[in-house]
mmCIF file of all heavy atoms in Angstrom:
data_model
loop_
_atom_site.group_PDB
_atom_site.id
_atom_site.type_symbol
_atom_site.label_atom_id
_atom_site.label_comp_id
_atom_site.label_asym_id
_atom_site.label_seq_id
_atom_site.Cartn_x
_atom_site.Cartn_y
_atom_site.Cartn_z
ATOM 1 N N GLU V 28 14.812 18.340 -7.192
ATOM 2 C CA GLU V 28 13.506 18.566 -7.719
ATOM 3 C C GLU V 28 12.423 17.941 -6.875
ATOM 4 O O GLU V 28 12.625 17.002 -6.215
ATOM 5 C CB GLU V 28 13.260 17.898 -9.166
ATOM 6 C CG GLU V 28 14.040 18.625 -10.278
ATOM 7 C CD GLU V 28 13.882 17.828 -11.571
ATOM 8 O OE1 GLU V 28 12.988 16.989 -11.660
ATOM 9 O OE2 GLU V 28 14.558 18.215 -12.469
ATOM 10 N N THR V 29 11.255 18.718 -6.729
ATOM 11 C CA THR V 29 10.051 18.154 -6.158
ATOM 12 C C THR V 29 8.926 18.073 -7.117
ATOM 13 O O THR V 29 8.494 19.016 -7.850
ATOM 14 C CB THR V 29 9.679 19.117 -5.029
ATOM 15 O OG1 THR V 29 10.751 19.216 -4.051
ATOM 16 C CG2 THR V 29 8.468 18.601 -4.185
ATOM 17 N N HIS V 30 8.354 16.874 -7.136
ATOM 18 C CA HIS V 30 7.162 16.599 -7.948
ATOM 19 C C HIS V 30 5.885 16.333 -7.225
ATOM 20 O O HIS V 30 6.045 15.865 -6.087
ATOM 21 C CB HIS V 30 7.466 15.471 -8.997
ATOM 22 C CG HIS V 30 8.533 15.781 -9.850
ATOM 23 N ND1 HIS V 30 8.870 14.895 -10.932
ATOM 24 C CD2 HIS V 30 9.451 16.772 -10.044
ATOM 25 C CE1 HIS V 30 9.878 15.423 -11.601
ATOM 26 N NE2 HIS V 30 10.248 16.659 -11.052
ATOM 27 N N VAL V 31 4.730 16.729 -7.806
ATOM 28 C CA VAL V 31 3.574 16.267 -7.042
ATOM 29 C C VAL V 31 2.711 15.334 -7.923
ATOM 30 O O VAL V 31 2.735 15.258 -9.093
ATOM 31 C CB VAL V 31 2.573 17.512 -6.747
ATOM 32 C CG1 VAL V 31 3.276 18.276 -5.624
ATOM 33 C CG2 VAL V 31 2.380 18.425 -7.931
ATOM 34 N N LEU V 32 1.928 14.438 -7.052
ATOM 35 C CA LEU V 32 1.039 13.473 -7.734
ATOM 36 C C LEU V 32 -0.391 13.940 -7.323
ATOM 37 O O LEU V 32 -0.774 13.970 -6.289
ATOM 38 C CB LEU V 32 1.253 12.163 -7.028
ATOM 39 C CG LEU V 32 2.257 11.149 -7.546
ATOM 40 C CD1 LEU V 32 2.253 9.916 -6.760
ATOM 41 C CD2 LEU V 32 1.842 10.688 -9.042
ATOM 42 N N PHE V 33 -1.218 14.016 -8.429
ATOM 43 C CA PHE V 33 -2.672 14.240 -8.269
ATOM 44 C C PHE V 33 -3.337 13.056 -8.728
ATOM 45 O O PHE V 33 -2.750 12.188 -9.454
ATOM 46 C CB PHE V 33 -3.105 15.524 -9.197
ATOM 47 C CG PHE V 33 -2.482 16.906 -8.817
ATOM 48 C CD1 PHE V 33 -1.282 17.260 -9.648
ATOM 49 C CD2 PHE V 33 -2.821 17.604 -7.731
ATOM 50 C CE1 PHE V 33 -0.756 18.531 -9.404
ATOM 51 C CE2 PHE V 33 -2.294 18.869 -7.426
ATOM 52 C CZ PHE V 33 -1.213 19.232 -8.272
ATOM 53 N N GLY V 34 -4.715 12.976 -8.509
ATOM 54 C CA GLY V 34 -5.386 11.878 -8.976
ATOM 55 C C GLY V 34 -6.511 11.666 -8.023
ATOM 56 O O GLY V 34 -6.596 11.964 -6.771
ATOM 57 N N PRO V 35 -7.697 11.089 -8.603
ATOM 58 C CA PRO V 35 -8.831 10.839 -7.625
ATOM 59 C C PRO V 35 -8.536 9.677 -6.727
ATOM 60 O O PRO V 35 -7.592 8.951 -6.872
ATOM 61 C CB PRO V 35 -9.892 10.419 -8.758
ATOM 62 C CG PRO V 35 -9.141 10.002 -9.935
ATOM 63 C CD PRO V 35 -7.830 10.776 -9.967
ATOM 64 N N ASN V 36 -9.392 9.500 -5.665
ATOM 65 C CA ASN V 36 -9.220 8.491 -4.825
ATOM 66 C C ASN V 36 -9.211 7.053 -5.469
ATOM 67 O O ASN V 36 -9.908 6.846 -6.548
ATOM 68 C CB ASN V 36 -10.434 8.441 -3.903
ATOM 69 C CG ASN V 36 -10.441 9.607 -2.843
ATOM 70 O OD1 ASN V 36 -9.292 9.992 -2.505
ATOM 71 N ND2 ASN V 36 -11.713 10.005 -2.413
ATOM 72 N N GLY V 37 -8.294 6.224 -5.079
ATOM 73 C CA GLY V 37 -8.260 4.866 -5.668
ATOM 74 C C GLY V 37 -7.504 4.824 -6.993
ATOM 75 O O GLY V 37 -7.600 3.805 -7.624
ATOM 76 N N SER V 38 -6.794 5.955 -7.384
ATOM 77 C CA SER V 38 -6.244 5.986 -8.544
ATOM 78 C C SER V 38 -4.768 5.276 -8.534
ATOM 79 O O SER V 38 -4.240 4.935 -9.514
ATOM 80 C CB SER V 38 -6.136 7.377 -9.169
ATOM 81 O OG SER V 38 -5.336 8.176 -8.218
ATOM 82 N N GLY V 39 -4.351 5.014 -7.359
ATOM 83 C CA GLY V 39 -3.069 4.247 -7.179
ATOM 84 C C GLY V 39 -1.837 5.183 -6.617
ATOM 85 O O GLY V 39 -0.782 4.772 -6.701
ATOM 86 N N LYS V 40 -2.273 6.436 -6.236
ATOM 87 C CA LYS V 40 -1.132 7.294 -5.773
ATOM 88 C C LYS V 40 -0.306 6.711 -4.581
ATOM 89 O O LYS V 40 0.862 6.687 -4.586
ATOM 90 C CB LYS V 40 -1.726 8.607 -5.311
ATOM 91 C CG LYS V 40 -2.538 9.440 -6.409
ATOM 92 C CD LYS V 40 -2.903 10.827 -6.016
ATOM 93 C CE LYS V 40 -3.906 10.780 -4.793
ATOM 94 N NZ LYS V 40 -5.148 10.128 -5.094
ATOM 95 N N THR V 41 -1.089 6.301 -3.534
ATOM 96 C CA THR V 41 -0.470 5.734 -2.366
ATOM 97 C C THR V 41 0.393 4.449 -2.749
ATOM 98 O O THR V 41 1.476 4.190 -2.259
ATOM 99 C CB THR V 41 -1.417 5.471 -1.338
ATOM 100 O OG1 THR V 41 -2.030 6.762 -0.829
ATOM 101 C CG2 THR V 41 -0.748 4.867 -0.131
ATOM 102 N N THR V 42 -0.322 3.571 -3.619
ATOM 103 C CA THR V 42 0.392 2.406 -4.095
ATOM 104 C C THR V 42 1.799 2.710 -4.655
ATOM 105 O O THR V 42 2.740 2.094 -4.435
ATOM 106 C CB THR V 42 -0.548 1.765 -5.112
ATOM 107 O OG1 THR V 42 -1.631 1.303 -4.508
ATOM 108 C CG2 THR V 42 0.181 0.472 -5.734
ATOM 109 N N LEU V 43 1.731 3.803 -5.538
ATOM 110 C CA LEU V 43 2.971 4.186 -6.232
ATOM 111 C C LEU V 43 4.009 4.450 -5.119
ATOM 112 O O LEU V 43 5.273 4.033 -5.065
ATOM 113 C CB LEU V 43 2.799 5.482 -7.163
ATOM 114 C CG LEU V 43 4.089 5.812 -7.865
ATOM 115 C CD1 LEU V 43 4.767 4.701 -8.613
ATOM 116 C CD2 LEU V 43 3.854 6.941 -8.755
ATOM 117 N N LEU V 44 3.755 5.295 -4.009
ATOM 118 C CA LEU V 44 4.642 5.574 -2.993
ATOM 119 C C LEU V 44 5.087 4.443 -2.233
ATOM 120 O O LEU V 44 6.259 4.181 -1.938
ATOM 121 C CB LEU V 44 3.998 6.618 -2.038
ATOM 122 C CG LEU V 44 4.358 8.116 -2.213
ATOM 123 C CD1 LEU V 44 4.237 8.551 -3.605
ATOM 124 C CD2 LEU V 44 3.668 9.044 -1.261
ATOM 125 N N MET V 45 4.206 3.577 -1.929
ATOM 126 C CA MET V 45 4.487 2.363 -1.150
ATOM 127 C C MET V 45 5.372 1.383 -2.014
ATOM 128 O O MET V 45 6.352 0.736 -1.458
ATOM 129 C CB MET V 45 3.199 1.471 -0.856
ATOM 130 C CG MET V 45 2.259 2.189 0.066
ATOM 131 S SD MET V 45 2.798 2.773 1.607
ATOM 132 C CE MET V 45 2.048 1.556 2.599
#
Side-chain angles (χ1 to χ4, degrees):
Chain V
E28 292 178 7
T29 297
H30 295 186
V31 286
L32 269 178
F33 299 100
N36 287 329
S38 60
K40 302 185 297 295
T41 298
T42 298
L43 179 56
L44 256 51
M45 299 298 254

